[in-house]
């Protein structure tokens, strides 16, 4: 079991990240106010919510010799104390109700290289760049909520 250590969203592409103490999560919109969460007509919503492990971010930062805040990765949720499963279809429970299904790895983009030379490469191994997920059950999540892998 892990803990939700951070929540962030951005209202438009390349827009500034906003950190939050809590947020509503819906099947149709992902994190309230985050532009990526809305499923486009005919879309599959494979990237509604992105998750990042604190340990992976810290390891990448150490590798490139920087100390940037986690939300510079542009992920929505910072996970602490839980090794995110690297298997599409795995379900996570956050707090009492919110359920996410991991859909794929979050590939690091060129934007990471602009933050720190070598960061894109540092995020490539072992899903270090995070995981993408789709909302299966909505609700409200808060920093400090537990996160656990649901057994099938």
């Amino acid at each position: 079991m892990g803990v939700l250590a951070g929540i962030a969203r951005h209202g438009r592409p390349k827009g500034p990240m906003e950190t939050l103490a809590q947020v509503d999560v819906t099947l149709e919109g992902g994190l309230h106010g985050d532009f990526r969460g809305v499923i486009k007509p005919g879309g599959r919503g494979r990237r509604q919510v992105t998750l990042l492990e604190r340990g992976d971010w810290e390891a990448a930062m150490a590798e490139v010799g920087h100390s940037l805040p986690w939300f510079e990765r542009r992920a929505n949720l910072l996970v602490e104390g839980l090794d995110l499963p690297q298997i599409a279809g795995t379900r996570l429970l956050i707090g009492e109700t919110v359920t996410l299904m991991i859909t794929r790895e979050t590939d690091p983009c060129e934007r990471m290289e602009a933050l720190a030379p070598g960061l894109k490469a540092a995020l490539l191994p072992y899903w270090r760049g995070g995981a993408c997920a789709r909302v299966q059950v909505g609700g409200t999540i808060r920093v400090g909520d537990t996160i656990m892998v649901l057994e099938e």
Side-chain angles (χ1 to χ4, degrees), residues 22-148:
Q22 70 177 42
V23 70
D24 292 329
V25 181
T26 65
L27 275 69
E28 305 80 24
L31 270 65
H32 177 73
D34 188 78
F35 89 98
R36 283 209 184 273
V38 178
I39 299 176
K40 296 174 180 78
R44 295 181 287 178
R46 294 183 339 144
R47 192 179 170 145
Q48 269 191 303
V49 179
T50 53
L51 301 101
L52 177 69
E53 290 178 42
R54 182 187 298 275
D56 285 347
W57 180 250
E58 290 173 351
M61 286 290 96
E63 201 169 297
V64 298
H66 280 273
S67 181
L68 299 169
W70 72 272
F71 54 83
E72 291 292 343
R73 175 65 184 103
R74 308 199 57 79
N76 296 124
L77 306 178
L78 181 65
V79 176
E80 189 166 20
L82 176 71
D83 188 20
L84 289 172
Q86 299 174 3
I87 301 167
T90 303
R91 295 180 319 127
L92 304 171
L93 176 66
I94 304 176
E96 295 181 16
T97 60
V98 173
T99 306
L100 305 178
M101 183 180 67
I102 293 176
T103 56
R104 64 185 178 92
E105 178 179 5
T106 308
D107 298 320
C109 64
E110 292 304 319
R111 187 177 190 125
M112 296 300 102
E113 203 59 25
L115 287 173
L119 182 55
K120 180 179 178 183
L123 291 169
L124 281 173
Y126 312 111
W127 288 44
R128 226 191 227 177
C132 296
R134 181 178 181 137
V135 179
Q136 290 197 309
V137 178
T140 301
I141 57 174
R142 295 166 185 79
V143 170
D145 279 352
T146 59
I147 302 176
M148 66 175 67

